[in-house]
Structure formats: structure tokens, C-alpha cells
Amino acid sequence: MPNRPPRTTRFRTALVCALGVTLLGLATAGCEDDTAASGSGGRQSATRADLATDGDGDGDGGKTLRLGEPTSITYKRGSDHMRGALRVTAVSARKGTHAELKKAGTEPSDVRTTQPYYVTMTFENVGANSLHYPFLNTPTGLEDANGVDDQPLITGDTEVAACPGKDPDDFAVGAKVSLCKVFLVPNGIRPSVVTYSTGDATKRPVSWKVGR
């Protein structure tokens, strides 16, 4: 009679072979699933909001652009997790006057130590959703040549005629708006960059260089 391996050895061999076939089948199925997911019917197409710049490290986030150069960002509002897609442009940062602020009834107490600057931004809703009470202008910032964030002037519902900045209550898909924001820069210091970021994207905001 021919020599046969012990029954224990044959059992182990059969078990290893069975496991190998099972693992091969699972690997094949996984590859098929990945292939299906990458096809046109495997997942929903990305929205324009998904493709927009996040402002916190992707695209133009962390970069300094030229005034007048637009960029796309993902709009995020933390209170209700509302998301959208905006095209944002810092248009200008120009000197204002305390006389204009006084006329509007918003003159600050530190009138002798600060110079008002008016920062104008444009916004366009390039996403798929209308934004309700978006507070578009709130994330706008101004940094001076010393790297210090300049203080915005809190005007409440009062409008400075030379720097209108009232946000729309509803920002429809395709809508565009130009808004201005007043900042108080210490005397003798020049503004350096305009910044913008929404949600948690504060470490790497989009920036625009302010020219002399």
C-alpha cells in the first residue's frame, strides 16, 4: 500500500486550502465593489460645494492672492452645519474718515489713535443651495503690517454711507453682492492683508495682499 500522510496532516492541509479559496473570493469581491463604486452608477456625483476650496489647507487656503483675484471656498456655518459654495473676492482696502463714521453715529471712542479703513468684498453663491441669513461679511478680517488682526467697527444696524455692509437675509443660487466692512487700524500702521475663512478654517484663511 502507498504511504499516506496521517489524518491530522490531511485535515490541516484541507483547512488551509479552504481558507485560501475563501480569502481569494473575498479579495475578488472587494475589487469588484471598488470598480463598481468608481463607475458612474456607483456613487452620486460631487456637488460644486464639495469641489470648492475649504480655506483651511486646500486650494488657495493659506495662500496670499492679489486684490481683485477671486477664489472659491466652502461656506460653513457651525451653528447649524449649513454648507454652501461661494466665490469670494477682496476688492479693495481704502482709507475712510472719522467724519464719515461720526455722521453715521458710529464714531469709536479711540478716534485719536486709529485710522478707519473700508474693506470691500464681493460674494457669489456658486453652490446648489440658497443660504438663509448667511452673515457673509462676518468672517472678513484685516491684518496690519505688524501681523496684528485689526479690530472691526461694530456698527449694529447702523450703515456707514461710505461703507455699506448689510448682509442679505437670503442669498439665492447665482446671486452676487458687494459688501463693505469698517476696520480701525492704529495710527502709523498700514494694513497688510485681507483675510477670509468660515467655520473652523481659521488657521489657514484665504488672504489678499493690500498694496501701498
Side-chain angles (χ1 to χ4, degrees), residues 139-174:
T140 301
L142 184 65
E143 185 178 293
D144 64 35
N146 290 337
V148 177
D149 291 327
D150 297 308
Q151 294 299 310
L153 178 66
I154 306 301
T155 60
D157 295 329
T158 304
E159 282 284 322
V160 177
C163 186
K166 181 175 173 55
D167 272 88
D169 291 341
D170 288 284
F171 199 42
V173 175

Side-chain angles (χ1 to χ4, degrees), residues 84-105:
L86 301 176
R87 182 172 290 117
V88 183
T89 309
V91 178
S92 62
R94 62 185 181 86
K95 279 186 178 182
T97 68
H98 282 284
E100 291 168 332
L101 303 185
K102 185 176 182 179
K103 186 176 181 179

Side-chain angles (χ1 to χ4, degrees), residues 4-165:
R4 293 183 179 179
R7 292 184 63 185
T8 301
T9 303
R10 282 183 290 162
F11 174 75
R12 289 176 178 171
T13 302
L15 180 59
V16 170
C17 292
L19 287 173
V21 172
T22 301
L23 291 173
L24 179 61
L26 290 173
T28 303
C31 293
E32 291 174 352
D33 289 343
D34 288 342
T35 302
S38 63
S40 59
R43 65 177 69 171
Q44 295 180 348
S45 60
T47 65
R48 281 182 289 179
D50 294 328
L51 298 175
T53 303
D54 233 352
D56 55 3
D58 298 331
D60 290 327
K63 295 182 179 179
T64 301
L65 310 176
R66 300 184 304 274
L67 281 178
E69 186 174 355
T71 186
S72 293
I73 69 163
T74 298
Y75 171 87
K76 299 178 182 178
R77 193 167 72 191
S79 59
D80 56 7
H81 306 290
M82 184 167 68
R83 293 172 64 89
L86 301 176
R87 182 172 290 117
V88 183
T89 309
V91 178
S92 62
R94 62 185 181 86
K95 279 186 178 182
T97 68
H98 282 284
E100 291 168 332
L101 303 185
K102 185 176 182 179
K103 186 176 181 179
T106 59
E107 189 176 31
S109 58
D110 51 354
V111 59
R112 296 183 179 181
T113 60
T114 60
Q115 167 66 52
Y117 273 84
Y118 302 154
V119 175
T120 300
M121 306 284 290
T122 60
F123 303 90
E124 180 181 0
N125 187 347
V126 296
N129 302 310
S130 177
L131 302 176
H132 188 55
Y133 292 123
F135 300 103
L136 298 172
N137 214 15
T138 301
T140 301
L142 184 65
E143 185 178 293
D144 64 35
N146 290 337
V148 177
D149 291 327
D150 297 308
Q151 294 299 310
L153 178 66
I154 306 301
T155 60
D157 295 329
T158 304
E159 282 284 322
V160 177
C163 186

